[in-house]
Amino acid sequence: MSRNRRIGAYPVIGIRPTIDGRRGYLKVRESLEEQTWSMAKAAATLFRENLRYANGEPVQVVLADTTIGGVAEAAACQDKFRREGVDITLTVTPCWCYGAETMDMDPKTIKAVWGFNGTERPGAVYLASVLATHAQKGLPAFGIYGHEVQPASAREIPEDVKEKLLRFGRSAVAVASMRGTSYLQIGSVTMGIGGSIIDAAFLEEYLGMRMESVDEVELIRRMEEGIYDEEEFQKALKWTKEHCKEGFDKNPEAVQKTREQKDHDWEFVVKMMCIIKDLMNGNPNLPEGCEEEQMGHNALAAGFQGQRQWTDFYPNGDFAEALLNTSFDWDGPREPYILATENDVLNGIGMLFMKLLTNRAQIFADVRTYWSPEAVWKATGYTMEGKAAKAGGMIHLINSGAACLDACGEAKDDCGNAVMKPWYEVTEEDQRQILENVTWNPADFGYFRGGGYSSRFLTNAEMPVTMIRLNLIKGLGPALQIAEGWTIRLPEEVSDILWKRTDYTWPCTWFVPRTNDSPAFRTAYDVMNNWGANHGAISYGHIGADLITLCSMLRIPVSMHNVAEENIFRPAAWNAFGMDKEGQDYRACSAYGPLYR
């Protein structure tokens, strides 16, 4: 496991076992203690065994000291949870309880209630009652109710309940992990890109994060004054020379750099990466007298401006961006960083959402070109097949080298399938295969006059992925787009012809969204035509349902998605805002407002 990069403890989940408070001759409360505790302990075990923090450690779960039958025990539970750092609560019960007396009234916690579906006691009645009370008090809570009736003796959590519990837990841990951290912009606005115009109020009010900012010249100051970890730099440089293969130079011979200049660029970009890590999270091994620099900026994510003022003069940031976003480096497997190219904070935050949900490395890419079957045939003579033919085409995802190296698809699971693994499952063989299939090509001088190196690879495998984009809309606020789909593999000669139509020295991924009857998803063209910006953040796996749950916690509406309606899981109060799921989401997010306002 890696160290906790965020300052402060990770969020804790608190389990609240509520119970019918009546005692007396029939011992109502006493008869329910074992069943209630069984639910609480089962939920705690489910969370501990299936959820991990970003550093790979199991999520911490604490239980109330007693079952909660009234306000005194609710207050005692809240006091314990405050001392234990609980940000997320799950209330569980198999029976009727006194709703307003037993519910979680803390406005700062993220809440869910699991009511047992059984006929012996009215757990469902309590669930409905307490969710109504939550809505009445403006405290949104997720309701969890199994589809099938269970006997009171049942101790196994039904599969549909497990799915909702884990979706709630994953999303809530991700949301709570962002609070109190920073987004660090290194530089400022890149080439007029709106996504790199940072809105500090959005970060503060919706995510609980602060904006930190340093000028790019800080990297030069630290290089020239020796404010970096020399031992780490030498280790990193040695590893880079051994494992990072230099690729072909596409620039005209007359302007190509000499071998000596290229070797200097290698040292420069490796040192950049070391310094950016230090800027984000600090480094106690910086030289004596650099105590201020040792502290870092508590940055859970960052962005590097680069173009154009930096890249017209200095080697570009592609090496640092690609390798920091990757799930390993010279220290072996480690928690991926989030470093957005062109300081596109909105894409960087999208990458952060998905990293916290999956603990996997993330892809940063331009959503560059839609290729129809007809256009592909005209360019290559190839007739599209499979998923691409069904979707009416594909989308070319390509950027100058910021995509994580995991995206090449060379890591394999136990069945030999291409996969992007949670970072703590990445093996030495995975690293070797990935590095063997990546080259680092001298930068295109048309884009990067200062030189540097861009990672180059082809995602030569079919993998399930989810592409998202966070947009800021004046008069609306933030909204998220989600497109689940797959990376696809084309015949090598076909891929090469299409790839060479753009920059052949950049990472290349062919993406096919899953289509349906909605206007934005009828074909791959419609997805491209409705996409809200030039960039997309891409994660391994179909995780759209988790993202919808996460966004509802943050009060960010989802403006476009291809997730099945039966998998949409939002707070119960959303149901009061109309019958259509999308309209509910917009109206509820507007009514409740940002989580931290």
Side-chain angles (χ1 to χ4, degrees):
M1 301 303 100
S2 68
R3 69 184 178 92
N4 176 3
R5 291 201 197 125
R6 73 192 294 279
I7 295 172
Y10 283 112
V12 176
I13 300 177
I15 309 290
R16 308 176 70 257
T18 58
I19 199 165
D20 192 326
R22 289 173 285 204
R23 295 180 186 267
Y25 178 79
L26 294 179
K27 297 185 182 299
V28 173
R29 176 169 182 161
E30 290 87 342
S31 69
L32 292 161
E33 286 281 347
E34 191 277 332
Q35 185 184 6
T36 305
W37 276 117
S38 177
M39 287 182 67
K41 292 173 182 177
T45 298
L46 183 73
F47 287 146
R48 289 174 179 141
E49 292 181 349
N50 292 278
L51 302 181
R52 296 199 189 198
Y53 296 123
N55 73 342
E57 294 179 356
V59 163
Q60 294 184 40
V61 183
V62 300
L63 280 74
D65 291 332
T66 68
T67 53
I68 301 168
V71 68
E73 289 155 328
C77 174
Q78 184 173 342
D79 182 61
K80 177 182 181 177
F81 284 4
R82 178 185 55 79
R83 288 182 277 109
E84 296 282 352
V86 168
D87 291 299
I88 304 148
T89 66
L90 172 68
T91 299
V92 304
T93 189
C95 60
W96 170 254
C97 313
Y98 306 144
E101 297 182 21
T102 60
M103 65 186 284
D104 174 13
M105 289 279 287
D106 186 344
K108 295 182 180 179
T109 56
I110 303 170
K111 305 166 180 62
V113 184
W114 171 26
F116 185 77
N117 185 359
T119 61
E120 289 85 354
R121 299 282 182 175
V125 177
Y126 170 73
L127 177 63
S129 174
V130 81
L131 289 175
T133 309
H134 275 285
Q136 191 171 336
K137 294 179 180 294
L139 300 171
F142 290 80
I144 300 171
Y145 179 56
H147 189 272
E148 301 299 330
V149 175
Q150 292 182 278
S153 59
R155 295 296 178 262
E156 289 292 319
I157 303 176
E159 289 303 314
D160 62 327
V161 172
K162 282 184 182 179
E163 183 179 358
K164 287 185 175 180
L165 286 171
L166 291 176
R167 181 155 293 144
F168 167 77
R170 270 193 303 271
S171 302
V173 168
V175 166
S177 293
M178 290 185 281
R179 188 170 74 179
T181 64
S182 306
Y183 177 92
L184 173 66
Q185 68 165 355
I186 304 170
S188 185
V189 179
T190 301
M191 300 185 297
I193 294 174
S196 64
I197 302 172
I198 293 185
D199 185 332
F202 161 69
L203 291 173
E204 294 163 9
E205 295 178 3
Y206 281 89
L207 310 180
M209 299 175 70
R210 71 173 72 207
M211 187 199 82
E212 290 282 280
S213 181
V214 297
D215 195 281
E216 290 168 310
V217 74
E218 175 65 6
L219 273 69
I220 300 301
R221 182 183 79 89
R222 293 194 182 205
M223 288 184 188
E224 294 191 355
E225 296 187 4
I227 306 174
Y228 55 88
D229 186 337
E230 179 66 28
E231 183 177 340
E232 181 184 31
F233 167 63
Q234 293 300 335
K235 180 180 180 180
L237 186 61
K238 181 176 184 293
W239 179 87
T240 300
K241 289 179 178 179
E242 291 175 355
H243 298 287
C244 297
K245 299 186 299 183
E246 187 173 315
F248 62 86
D249 190 338
K250 65 173 285 187
N251 296 295
E253 287 189 20
V255 296
Q256 288 182 10
K257 291 193 174 187
T258 65
R259 184 69 259 166
E260 182 181 6
Q261 289 172 321
K262 289 180 177 178
D263 289 342
H264 176 268
D265 280 1
W266 273 117
E267 294 185 10
F268 189 96
V269 297
V270 171
K271 199 171 290 184
M272 275 181 70
M273 178 172 168
C274 293
I275 291 172
I276 290 173
K277 284 173 64 179
D278 295 345
L279 284 166
M280 290 180 70
N281 300 119
N283 187 342
N285 299 319
L286 296 185
E288 185 178 351
C290 300
E291 288 75 18
E292 183 178 0
E293 290 87 348
Q294 290 176 10
M295 298 175 68
H297 291 269
N298 192 31
L300 213 57
F304 181 69
Q305 177 191 334
Q307 298 185 75
R308 282 193 38 211
Q309 290 74 19
W310 177 275
T311 54
D312 279 1
F313 190 59
Y314 292 116
N316 64 19
D318 286 0
F319 180 83
E321 291 164 0
L323 204 50
L324 281 169
N325 286 331
T326 296
S327 58
F328 61 88
D329 59 19
W330 47 85
D331 288 324
R334 53 101 175 103
E335 177 188 344
Y337 290 79
I338 296 297
L339 182 61
T341 194
E342 297 168 352
N343 190 32
D344 186 343
V345 58
L346 296 178
N347 218 50
I349 293 299
M351 293 166 69
L352 179 60
F353 287 173
M354 296 193 291
K355 174 204 157 179
L356 293 173
L357 286 170
T358 67
N359 288 332
R360 303 175 197 261
Q362 301 298 309
I363 305 171
F364 184 111
D366 279 356
V367 184
R368 183 163 285 230
T369 311
Y370 161 71
W371 281 96
S372 70
E374 295 77 14
V376 169
W377 188 86
K378 287 179 182 177
T380 67
Y382 171 71
T383 300
M384 275 188 172
E385 302 172 348
K387 289 182 171 64
K390 182 178 179 181
M394 63 187 182
I395 297 172
H396 197 183
L397 305 178
I398 186 168
N399 192 271
S400 66
C404 62
L405 305 189
D406 307 63
C408 69
E410 293 298 328
K412 301 294 189 290
D413 64 17
D414 293 340
C415 298
N417 300 310
V419 64
M420 293 169 61
K421 296 180 178 179
W423 69 265
Y424 38 78
E425 296 178 5
V426 173
T427 67
E428 287 187 14
E429 178 61 15
D430 294 330
Q431 297 169 62
R432 190 184 72 78
Q433 290 293 338
I434 290 169
L435 291 169
E436 190 66 26
N437 286 276
V438 175
T439 59
W440 298 88
N441 293 50
D444 182 334
F445 287 168
Y447 288 95
F448 308 116
R449 299 176 193 171
Y453 295 93
S454 294
S455 60
R456 179 185 185 275
F457 61 80
L458 174 65
T459 306
N460 201 24
E462 182 175 305
M463 298 186 289
V465 293
T466 302
M467 181 171 76
I468 69 171
R469 175 64 193 187
L470 181 66
N471 298 299
L472 285 180
I473 314 297
K474 189 174 180 65
L476 171 65
L480 192 79
Q481 297 174 298
I482 302 170
E484 293 183 342
W486 300 268
T487 66
I488 62 164
R489 181 175 183 171
L490 297 176
E492 183 177 352
E493 63 278 11
V494 174
S495 183
D496 271 4
I497 291 170
L498 302 180
W499 192 356
K500 286 174 180 175
R501 292 279 290 265
T502 178
D503 199 303
Y504 196 51
T505 65
W506 293 351
C508 170
T509 302
W510 305 108
F511 171 66
V512 175
R514 185 176 63 243
T515 53
N516 58 35
D517 291 334
S518 65
F521 285 95
R522 289 195 180 112
T523 68
Y525 170 81
D526 295 305
V527 174
M528 177 82 177
N529 196 39
N530 283 277
W531 208 243
N534 55 313
H535 292 151
I538 301 95
S539 181
Y540 179 88
H542 289 160
I543 61 168
D546 284 354
L547 286 158
I548 288 173
T549 296
L550 177 146
C551 283
S552 69
M553 293 174 177
L554 295 170
R555 320 292 190 255
I556 295 174
V558 176
S559 61
M560 167 181 162
H561 71 82
N562 58 349
V563 176
E565 186 167 306
E566 60 266 25
N567 293 328
I568 295 174
F569 186 42
R570 293 182 173 119
W574 265 236
N575 293 324
F577 288 88
M579 292 184 65
D580 61 304
K581 293 290 186 182
E582 185 176 59
Q584 285 178 358
D585 190 30
Y586 273 84
R587 290 184 284 272
C589 288
S590 176
Y592 286 110
L595 186 57
Y596 302 108
R597 178 173 290 172

